[in-house]
């Protein structure tokens, strides 16, 4: 498991290659890269700021990844999530899953992304032509999380 | 002293520097006191689906005691990914 918060831009392809390098025990490498869009809900985005809680955000993402790894029987997962300021076109998040067969890795990436959208302690603030606004979780993200029957912390 | 942390849209000028008085002995006391000295924050804490983190652990029991050296964070709904 490799969980990291990145205050600077990262190269998803290089990170994925490094994670899978030398692994002869796995037959599948699945990755997802989320990228900062230049428009959200029809509004232009000049800059995105990702707020986080140092020490807690990493711990929670690691907990979510471990939960997904166990549930999907996916032996290894890597997550890199940007924090701080970023601009459209830059990668925000990378999830890579390694598994013996493809189904487990596909499922792990999809499920962990659903988790990250609603349960990772991160807060987005967009700056556009109409000023700054904090982003709330989208209704479809909340619905996907509920559909995934993700275990609650309660 | 209890250290206070506000994240996301709960961040505000000077909020992290607030120092709770000695009669604030539980998380519930803290929320009441915050609502008293910053009504906008108090409203946000009650209307928003805010989570409370005590010493880096999410907690639900507002009767938990707090004191010198503790860190309490207030987390609004998350929006990562």
């Amino acid at each position: 498991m490799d969980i990291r918060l990145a205050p600077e831009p990262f190269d998803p392809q290089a990170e994925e290659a490094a994670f899978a390098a030398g692994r002869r025990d796995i037959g599948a490498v699945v990755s997802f890269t989320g990228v900062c869009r230049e428009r959200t809900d029809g509004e232009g985005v000049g800059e995105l700021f990702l707020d986080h809680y140092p020490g807690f955000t990493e711990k929670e993402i690691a907990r979510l990844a471990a939960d997904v790894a166990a549930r999907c029987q996916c032996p290894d997962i890597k997550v890199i999530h940007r924090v701080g300021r970023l601009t459209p076109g830059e990668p925000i998040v990378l999830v890579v899953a390694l598994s013996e067969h493809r189904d487990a890795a596909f499922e792990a990436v999809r499920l962990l992304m659903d988790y990250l959208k609603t349960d990772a302690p991160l807060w987005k603030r967009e700056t556009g032509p109409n000023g700054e606004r904090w982003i709330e979780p989208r209704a479809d993200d909340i619905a996907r999380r509920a559909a995934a029957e993700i275990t609650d912390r309660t | 002293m209890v250290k206070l942390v506000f994240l996301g849209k709960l961040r505000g000028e000077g909020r992290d520097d607030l120092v709770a008085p000695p009669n604030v002995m539980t998380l519930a006391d803290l929320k009441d006191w915050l609502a008293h000295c910053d009504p906008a924050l108090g409203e946000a804490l009650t209307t928003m689906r805010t989570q409370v983190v005590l010493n880096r652990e999410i907690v639900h029991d507002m009767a938990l005691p707090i004191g010198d050296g503790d860190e309490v964070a207030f987390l609004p709904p998350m929006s990562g990914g």
Side-chain angles (χ1 to χ4, degrees), chain A residues 19-152:
Chain A
F19 190 51
R23 295 290 297 259
R24 290 165 177 258
D25 56 327
I26 51 126
V29 181
V30 174
S31 75
F32 171 85
T33 302
V35 178
C36 178
R37 284 187 305 268
E38 65 179 2
R39 298 192 81 77
T40 300
D41 302 329
E43 280 191 40
V45 178
E47 184 183 87
L48 185 68
F49 174 74
L50 270 160
D51 194 12
H52 76 293
Y53 184 14
F56 180 75
T57 299
E58 304 90 311
K59 185 171 78 96
E60 282 295 291
I61 293 176
R63 187 183 65 78
L64 298 171
D67 196 353
V68 166
R71 189 165 152 183
C72 298
Q73 297 185 316
C74 186
D76 216 348
I77 292 177
K78 176 174 189 163
V79 179
I80 300 179
H81 209 301
R82 280 292 301 277
V83 292
R85 296 181 192 289
L86 59 162
T87 53
E90 291 181 359
I92 300 178
V93 60
L94 170 72
V95 175
V96 185
L98 309 180
S99 61
E100 191 176 350
H101 300 288
R102 67 185 184 282
D103 281 350
F106 273 126
E107 177 64 9
V109 169
R110 190 194 61 78
L111 190 60
L112 185 51
M113 276 310 304
D114 288 348
Y115 260 130
L116 291 175
K117 282 285 182 184
T118 54
D119 287 50
L122 293 158
W123 299 270
K124 283 180 183 151
R125 188 187 65 207
E126 290 179 351
T127 305
N130 299 321
E132 293 179 350
R133 65 175 187 139
W134 289 97
I135 305 299
E136 300 283 341
R138 301 167 65 96
D140 56 339
D141 289 332
I142 294 169
R144 287 177 69 89
R145 182 199 186 281
E149 294 176 358
I150 294 169
T151 329
D152 230 323

Side-chain angles (χ1 to χ4, degrees), chain A residues 51-56 59-60 81 92-93 113 116-124 134-137 153-154, chain B residues 5-9 11 48-49 51 53 55-58 60 71-81:
Chain A
D51 194 12
H52 76 293
Y53 184 14
F56 180 75
K59 185 171 78 96
E60 282 295 291
H81 209 301
I92 300 178
V93 60
M113 276 310 304
L116 291 175
K117 282 285 182 184
T118 54
D119 287 50
L122 293 158
W123 299 270
K124 283 180 183 151
W134 289 97
I135 305 299
E136 300 283 341
R153 280 175 290 236
T154 49
Chain B
V5 179
F6 298 93
L7 282 308
K9 70 195 301 184
R11 280 188 187 277
M48 224 182 267
R49 205 165 43 87
Q51 290 183 298
V53 174
N55 299 328
R56 303 292 206 276
E57 295 290 338
I58 291 176
H60 300 281
E71 181 172 300
V72 180
F74 294 93
L75 280 52
M78 300 161 185
S79 56

